[in-house]
Amino acid sequence: MVVGFSVNLEILKQLLVGFIQNEVGKMGFNKVVLGLSGGVDSSLCAYLAALALGKENILGVMMPYKTSNPESLRHAELVVKELRIRSLTVDITPMIDAYFQTFPEVDHIRRGNKMARERMTILYDQSAAENALVLGTSNKTELLLGYGTLFGDMASALNPIGDLYKTQVRLLAHHLGVPQVIIDKKPSADLWLGQSDEEELGFTYDEVDKVLYYLVDKRYSCADLIEKGYPADFVHSVYQKIQNSQFKRRLPIIAKVSERTIDRDFRYPRDWGR
Amino acid sequence: MILKVGLGQINPALGNLSRNIAIYEELFTLAKAQAVDLLIFPELGLTGYFLRDMVPEVALREESAILTRLKDMSREIPIATGFVEESKEHLFYNAGIYLEDGEVRHIHRKVYLPTYGMFDEQRYFARGKMVRAFDSKFGRAALLICEDLWHPSTAYIAFQDGADFLLVLSSSPGRGVDLGEKLVISDTWETLNKTYAKLFSQFIFFANRVGYEDGINFWGGSEIITPEGQQVAKGRYFQEELVVGEIDTNDIRRTRISTTLLRDEDLDLTLRELLRIHQKKFA
């Protein structure tokens, strides 16, 4: 294990639970809605949220598509059962299929993105119905690599695990008692049959987390990392992924015209006045 | 003299003066009930920390209603707090104020404004140009703000200026989780506080806030350290509370008898060498 991933999990838990309580509370809410995919990221978020707000204040939404791996739904249901949180299942097949009837030839990337965005609209609608906030479940690894759908699974009001690498998500999930079967299974966005994150990315999370940790957290240059023994093409491809996905981590850019432009010279925190 | 010190480990609302003054009133009542002699609030305790463009909106002139209210409160208990000061020239300072018997006894304008990583202070604040000790009814004190203390020169000046008490107002963002029992930043601060207390044989009153702003946490852990480096009061991490501790001001005398650092410190040597270095660097 790389130094920096092994952390005091009790402090980490305390910090993230406090984050949810504080940031949800100060916006005038006491509930969150989150999508449960059956994967380790959303499962961990559900566990953290239940600790922070109480099981009755969490709505876990399961949104399978007809080609989704049935195991995903089973694992999401396992989380619901273990935590005794409220849940809702919305099959997105009719909405997705209705849309793609008009565009039958599209590739699985477009289909996958559409599904992610369909789920986002459901979560936001449910959050309005529940008077709740949408809890994000993207981890630092995927945010840095851009391995997520803009305005889809990346959309949320607040995200407790966006500064944790996948490796740390697994450690904390284990610490909080997320079922081991969820932690151990092969990570998948499950946007098409048999999809595997690591196959699609071309490297394992264990490998890439180390490179990301050194590049981002420890400010190593690519040259430093290659000197340290990491393969040059691997290091460069990771760097490229970070650079090419920068747009996903920012609000849309605005053409500057006036003397005071939003987010340029009009700078306020989100927690303005709260 | 036995002195009961209260550290207001609060969670201020960001840019919401009226809500924060209500928090101050609440803590003040608690402090009175516990017969606290001196009440200290954190850096920018009246306003919250990551203010950005709100800085001018929450800035206070000395004659403002809020400072007048705090002055009134200081007739009962002397108060130190962080706030945004607007000068007559309309410059904005990250400042600390010490109030006693209804009067302003001292204002310190933060000298070292962190502007790196998550910090943005030089974009919004003017830089203070002085470090001065001042006289309070309890003895000579100095007030420093957070990053100021990461420059040993500020604490050294306060020491040479005769400060027996160092009031440290802080809004320290929590970061760095390793295998230790506390955040890396907490460990660093606790080391700094203890080191300064011992090196300068003075009391440290460290008031640090808690809460979250845009996802960034503040870790609390306010503390009182004696000139011998003993911790006499310690706030919990991440939790709001009034941290109260009792000190014996005669500790300063006793410590300076047994540890003669102030007596032996050669100010002339320091000045001579610093002047030599200054001339070499800037001639």
Side-chain angles (χ1 to χ4, degrees):
Chain A
M1 194 67 64
V2 179
V3 178
F5 291 149
S6 309
V7 299
N8 185 319
L9 296 165
E10 209 35 47
I11 293 181
L12 192 56
K13 177 185 92 178
Q14 196 183 356
L15 212 152
L16 300 180
V17 167
F19 163 79
I20 297 170
Q21 283 168 340
N22 231 273
E23 296 286 10
V24 171
K26 74 165 77 173
M27 299 310 279
F29 294 87
N30 63 3
K31 286 191 212 171
V32 294
V33 167
L34 80 165
L36 289 179
S37 70
V40 68
D41 299 308
S42 58
S43 300
L44 171 61
C45 288
Y47 274 70
L48 287 168
L51 282 172
L53 306 173
K55 60 183 186 330
E56 63 284 356
N57 292 317
I58 316 301
L59 179 68
V61 188
M62 294 163 282
M63 296 167 283
Y65 179 67
K66 65 188 177 193
T67 61
S68 298
N69 187 342
E71 188 188 78
S72 300
L73 188 60
R74 278 207 305 278
H75 287 161
E77 284 166 344
L78 180 60
V79 169
V80 169
K81 194 171 129 246
E82 288 283 321
L83 289 175
R84 290 182 291 146
I85 56 174
R86 293 158 54 232
S87 72
L88 176 70
T89 304
V90 180
D91 179 6
I92 63 169
T93 308
M95 301 78 121
I96 298 299
D97 286 357
Y99 178 75
F100 283 117
Q101 263 174 15
T102 323
F103 311 99
E105 299 305 315
V106 304
D107 61 22
H108 61 244
I109 302 281
R110 276 180 62 186
R111 287 185 161 275
N113 281 336
K114 173 72 178 154
M115 287 177 214
R117 294 188 179 114
E118 188 63 43
R119 291 178 175 128
M120 177 277 290
T121 66
I122 292 166
L123 289 177
Y124 272 84
D125 179 58
Q126 289 302 322
S127 78
E130 288 281 328
N131 195 27
L133 291 176
V134 174
L135 194 67
T137 63
S138 301
N139 63 56
K140 189 172 187 173
T141 306
E142 59 191 20
L143 287 173
L144 284 170
L145 296 174
Y147 193 64
T149 299
L150 183 61
F151 308 127
D153 52 296
M154 292 178 84
S156 70
L158 73 163
N159 177 349
I161 64 163
D163 205 16
L164 303 189
Y165 289 110
K166 187 79 171 185
T167 313
Q168 296 170 311
V169 166
R170 287 177 176 141
L171 291 171
L172 186 59
H174 180 77
H175 182 70
L176 293 190
V178 173
Q180 200 62 38
V181 62
I182 293 174
I183 300 171
D184 288 343
K185 73 176 172 181
K186 210 168 64 171
S188 169
D190 198 16
L191 292 173
W192 55 87
L193 213 59
Q195 183 187 17
S196 150
D197 290 5
E198 294 180 337
E199 270 172 43
E200 202 184 348
L201 287 165
F203 37 71
T204 67
Y205 279 118
D206 279 351
E207 290 166 341
V208 77
D209 278 356
K210 288 176 195 160
V211 171
L212 289 172
Y213 173 74
Y214 283 117
L215 277 176
V216 176
D217 294 61
K218 301 318 261 182
R219 298 173 190 262
Y220 277 54
S221 66
C222 287
D224 291 342
L225 273 177
I226 293 161
E227 201 182 301
K228 213 173 151 64
Y230 288 92
D233 50 352
F234 178 40
V235 172
H236 289 305
S237 83
V238 171
Y239 189 89
Q240 277 295 310
K241 278 185 193 294
I242 301 173
Q243 188 179 354
N244 291 343
S245 60
Q246 178 62 6
F247 72 97
K248 293 189 179 184
R249 292 181 293 269
R250 299 297 309 268
L251 288 173
I253 54 167
I254 293 173
K256 186 167 179 65
V257 177
S258 74
E259 283 175 21
R260 208 163 176 213
T261 308
I262 293 159
D263 259 8
R264 183 67 53 190
D265 22 42
F266 177 84
R267 297 179 181 225
Y268 287 85
R270 192 202 68 166
D271 292 351
W272 184 356
R274 293 166 191 276
Chain B
M1 184 188 1
I2 300 296
L3 182 64
K4 209 175 207 190
V5 180
L7 308 170
Q9 187 167 298
I10 56 171
N11 175 14
L14 186 53
N16 193 329
L17 285 165
S18 56
R19 191 168 324 157
N20 294 335
I21 195 71
I23 295 173
Y24 275 52
E25 304 257 9
E26 207 176 299
L27 269 267
F28 183 75
T29 307
L30 273 177
K32 258 201 315 198
Q34 294 189 50
V36 162
D37 300 304
L38 165 63
L39 182 55
I40 305 172
F41 291 98
E43 172 186 22
L44 296 174
L46 272 175
T47 61
Y49 181 73
F50 286 103
L51 292 162
R52 313 188 85 184
D53 278 5
M54 277 181 274
V55 163
E57 297 166 30
V58 298
L60 300 175
R61 304 285 297 261
E62 217 187 294
E63 62 277 12
S64 65
I66 285 180
L67 288 186
T68 305
R69 172 73 194 118
L70 288 179
K71 277 184 216 168
D72 286 344
M73 286 155 74
S74 80
R75 289 177 208 283
E76 291 178 86
I77 308 176
I79 292 175
T81 183
F83 74 114
V84 179
E85 181 204 0
E86 179 167 353
S87 72
K88 293 201 167 47
E89 309 89 338
H90 308 294
L91 301 182
F92 302 96
Y93 294 94
N94 180 343
I97 192 167
Y98 179 77
L99 306 160
E100 186 179 278
D101 297 331
E103 303 284 339
V104 178
R105 291 275 186 257
H106 183 70
I107 290 184
H108 170 73
R109 294 167 168 172
K110 189 175 183 178
V111 175
Y112 290 104
L113 302 169
T115 305
Y116 55 84
M118 75 180 112
F119 300 108
D120 241 355
E121 288 189 31
Q122 280 194 56
R123 181 183 170 91
Y124 300 102
F125 292 114
R127 182 175 178 164
K129 298 220 161 37
M130 277 193 278
V131 173
R132 298 274 163 90
F134 60 95
D135 291 311
S136 77
K137 61 165 74 166
F138 313 110
R140 203 155 166 79
L143 198 159
L144 293 174
I145 304 177
C146 211
E147 189 90 357
D148 283 337
L149 208 66
W150 287 63
H151 294 260
S153 49
T154 59
Y156 180 78
I157 293 166
F159 168 60
Q160 285 298 316
D161 208 11
D164 294 335
F165 309 97
L166 193 58
L167 282 55
V168 183
L169 317 186
S170 206
S171 276
S172 171
R175 65 252 194 225
V177 186
D178 64 9
L179 283 170
E181 288 305 310
K182 54 184 84 155
L183 292 177
V184 175
I185 187 69
S186 316
D187 195 48
T188 308
W189 261 110
E190 287 159 12
T191 306
L192 285 180
N193 288 339
K194 193 171 173 178
T195 306
Y196 284 132
K198 287 185 93 151
L199 287 183
F200 300 144
S201 10
Q202 61 191 187
F203 282 99
I204 304 271
F205 306 143
F206 173 74
N208 189 32
R209 63 163 289 191
V210 293
Y212 290 74
E213 289 178 359
D214 278 16
I216 297 172
N217 74 85
F218 299 88
W219 54 272
S222 303
E223 61 183 6
I224 298 171
I225 310 288
T226 70
E228 292 198 299
Q230 299 299 311
Q231 188 186 73
V232 296
K234 181 68 179 172
R236 287 172 297 169
Y237 297 126
F238 307 117
Q239 307 286 319
E240 285 171 85
E241 67 177 306
L242 174 65
V243 182
V244 177
E246 233 174 43
I247 60 156
D248 181 352
T249 59
N250 295 331
D251 280 353
I252 299 160
R253 180 170 188 268
R254 287 189 285 266
T255 308
R256 289 188 188 159
I257 292 170
S258 57
T259 312
T260 55
L261 292 169
L262 181 59
R263 186 196 70 189
D264 301 341
E265 178 65 21
D266 190 339
L267 187 56
D268 283 332
L269 177 144
T270 308
L271 274 175
R272 262 196 324 274
E273 295 301 329
L274 284 179
L275 273 174
R276 176 184 63 77
I277 294 162
H278 185 268
Q279 276 162 6
K280 200 169 85 183
K281 273 192 172 170
F282 301 106

